[in-house]
Amino acid sequence: MTHRLLFLGPPGAGKGTQAQRLSEQLQLLHLSTGDLLRAEIRASSDLGRQVEAVMSKGELVSDALVLAIVGERLKTNDGGWLLDGFPRNLSQAEALDCLLKDLGQPLQHVLLMELDDETLVTRLLNRGRTDDTEEVIRHRLQVYRDQTAPLIQHYADRGVLTRIPSQGSVEEVASAVEEALGGTA
Ligand code: AP5
């Protein structure tokens, strides 16, 4: 069975952890816009330097750039896929709706990972990525609330949203993900 799904949720909820695990298990293309943008930074291109300045503040990179990154990869993929960290605002979600309509690949599941703020902050401070300082984490949480959280209603209206309580261990959360996918994972 082909799976086309995305993980939604605040920074530190475990999207990347579960996305990596599930994509390996189901042989899906895993597209993490955060990882793809960090690869641009490592390449030290002009674009990478611009991206770094935005990411280090916890702001969102331009819609046009992330859409180009995701669109190019989905158009050249003929199997299932899993999106992690994209879309991040309503304009990206609407652009994704159009792209998937053109490709004839409807989205099947949106898994919303839910976790309280203090656990998120603790997990990210322990991880220690360059954008994991307390000030930047709290700003990313605010950006999530302002720009990304409206996507919850967007996908609930389409009947594809499942909430995943994400405070348990990695294995417990993986079981909840599997259950949400109807035991197909
Ligand atoms: P991105 O890389 O997407 O970061 P994020 O959304 O802030 O998400 P995180 O990676 O911080 O958290 P996660 O939910 O993936 O959790 P993880 O599994 O790593 O984006 C970074 C930046 O890139 C953005 O701020 C923006 O600037 C830019 N960007 C990216 N996409 C964009 C877009 N579409 N448009 C515009 N800009 C964009 O887990 C976190 C930690 O917790 C890890 O250490 C992990 O080991 C641990 N952990 C995970 N699960 C558990 C568990 N169950 N129990 C205990 N610990 C756990």
Side-chain angles (χ1 to χ4, degrees):
M1 180 185 173
T2 305
H3 289 84
R4 294 183 295 270
L5 54 112
L6 69 84
F7 279 100
L8 190 63
K15 304 180 297 295
T17 303
Q18 295 298 331
Q20 181 165 357
R21 194 180 167 113
L22 191 63
S23 60
E24 283 169 13
Q25 199 177 340
L26 298 178
Q27 302 286 295
L28 306 175
L29 172 70
H30 174 195
L31 287 182
S32 157
T33 43
D35 286 350
L36 292 166
L37 292 167
R38 281 183 286 277
E40 269 315 318
I41 295 174
R42 281 195 300 277
S44 296
S45 58
D46 281 349
L47 182 61
R49 277 184 280 277
Q50 290 169 38
V51 166
E52 186 169 24
V54 177
M55 283 176 75
S56 65
K57 287 188 265 180
E59 298 288 346
L60 296 186
V61 172
S62 84
D63 292 346
L65 176 61
V66 287
L67 281 167
I69 289 177
V70 173
E72 184 195 327
R73 285 165 175 80
L74 285 184
K75 281 176 194 163
T76 52
N77 174 59
D78 55 9
W81 42 259
L82 186 166
L83 304 178
D84 156 20
F86 173 88
R88 215 57 167 225
N89 57 31
L90 273 175
S91 131
Q92 292 181 12
E94 283 161 5
L96 178 65
D97 290 344
C98 287
L99 174 68
L100 297 182
K101 198 168 175 210
D102 287 350
L103 294 175
Q105 296 187 16
L107 180 62
Q108 296 161 324
H109 296 281
V110 174
L111 303 175
L112 171 63
M113 304 197 62
E114 297 187 299
L115 193 57
D116 63 279
D117 282 8
E118 291 322 303
T119 309
L120 297 172
V121 173
T122 305
R123 281 190 189 176
L124 293 177
L125 286 174
N126 285 337
R127 181 178 63 181
R129 212 167 64 193
T130 53
D131 58 345
D132 286 339
T133 63
E134 178 145 10
E135 188 187 356
V136 176
I137 293 167
R138 297 229 179 251
H139 186 62
R140 279 158 57 205
L141 280 170
Q142 194 56 49
V143 169
Y144 173 78
R145 274 191 278 275
D146 294 344
Q147 301 194 46
T148 311
L151 300 188
I152 297 170
Q153 194 60 49
H154 178 86
Y155 289 118
D157 290 345
R158 283 158 181 72
V160 290
L161 186 91
T162 306
R163 294 173 185 270
I164 308 286
S166 301
Q167 56 271 52
S169 68
V170 171
E171 288 71 26
E172 285 166 342
V173 177
S175 297
V177 166
E178 184 171 339
E179 196 179 324
L181 297 179
T184 51

